[in-house]
Amino acid sequence: MPRAISHLHAEQFDGQSSDTIVLAHDERHLRRKLLKSANGMELLVDFPQAVALGHGDALVLEDGSLVRIAAADEPLYEVTARDRTHLAKLCWHLGNRHLPAQIEEERILIGRDHVIRDMLLSLGATIREISAPFSPERGAYHSHGGHGHHHDHGRHHHHD
């Protein structure tokens, strides 16, 4: 079985690959996993540590061949606002709830959740159901291979 031993970011290769693997956003963070390509090839991803793969990245197989990663279409809400300040406030509310969000200049994409939809509507957002690739922001805790939530939402006690 072919084995993926490293990866390239999209800007590091010309997009030419022998095959493609389509994965949802929560499937693109992996270390060791069996995957199936669009052409039916099974391969084992075997990285020394967990990696967050993006749309257009490539897996490098042991024989040097490349398999492109494509973001799967997912059921999303497209959130738009009255203006940029309103959009920033909506981002704050989503971030305060630690929701995966793809933040763009004119819109925010989030996974569908009726409770969050209702909250955003009450804040004056416009919501449209779409199906599209989803590449949410990776938090600061995930940028160096971290995995977890390390800050306290409770009261902070300072000692003199």
Side-chain angles (χ1 to χ4, degrees):
M1 172 180 306
R3 210 167 61 106
I5 55 171
S6 66
H7 74 288
L8 296 173
H9 291 290
E11 61 275 0
Q12 295 175 303
F13 86 110
D14 64 7
Q16 298 298 313
S17 62
S18 60
D19 209 340
T20 301
I21 294 177
V22 180
L23 300 170
H25 82 278
D26 57 351
E27 298 171 324
R28 294 193 309 264
H29 190 264
L30 45 92
R31 188 188 79 72
R32 185 174 167 86
K33 186 170 185 173
L34 184 64
L35 299 175
K36 194 171 201 173
S37 75
N39 293 334
M41 173 181 65
E42 287 190 338
L43 64 90
L44 176 66
V45 172
D46 191 13
F47 296 149
Q49 59 189 347
V51 172
L53 299 169
H55 178 74
D57 288 358
L59 299 174
V60 180
L61 304 186
E62 285 177 305
D63 67 3
S65 62
L66 302 175
V67 176
R68 187 167 123 10
I69 298 296
D73 280 353
E74 299 185 48
L76 304 172
Y77 289 141
E78 177 187 62
V79 181
T80 54
R82 293 183 298 271
D83 55 38
R84 290 176 192 241
T85 301
H86 186 219
L87 191 69
K89 288 178 181 180
L90 296 174
C91 286
W92 184 89
H93 283 281
L94 293 169
N96 195 40
R97 285 155 183 81
H98 300 276
L99 293 173
Q102 181 175 327
I103 301 167
E104 299 177 359
E105 192 171 339
E106 302 292 329
R107 68 180 186 169
I108 309 163
L109 299 179
I110 60 170
R112 291 185 194 169
D113 176 319
H114 71 279
V115 172
I116 299 303
R117 180 200 64 213
D118 291 349
M119 176 202 68
L120 291 167
L121 289 171
S122 75
L123 294 167
T126 300
I127 310 283
R128 187 168 69 101
E129 289 187 3
I130 65 169
S131 181
F134 187 40
S135 295
E137 296 295 318
R138 297 266 178 214
Y141 297 112
H142 298 286
S143 61
H144 298 291
H147 58 278
H149 190 85
H150 302 289
H151 64 270
D152 181 7
H153 286 276
R155 292 181 180 261
H156 296 278
H157 298 283
H158 298 280
H159 300 285
D160 295 329

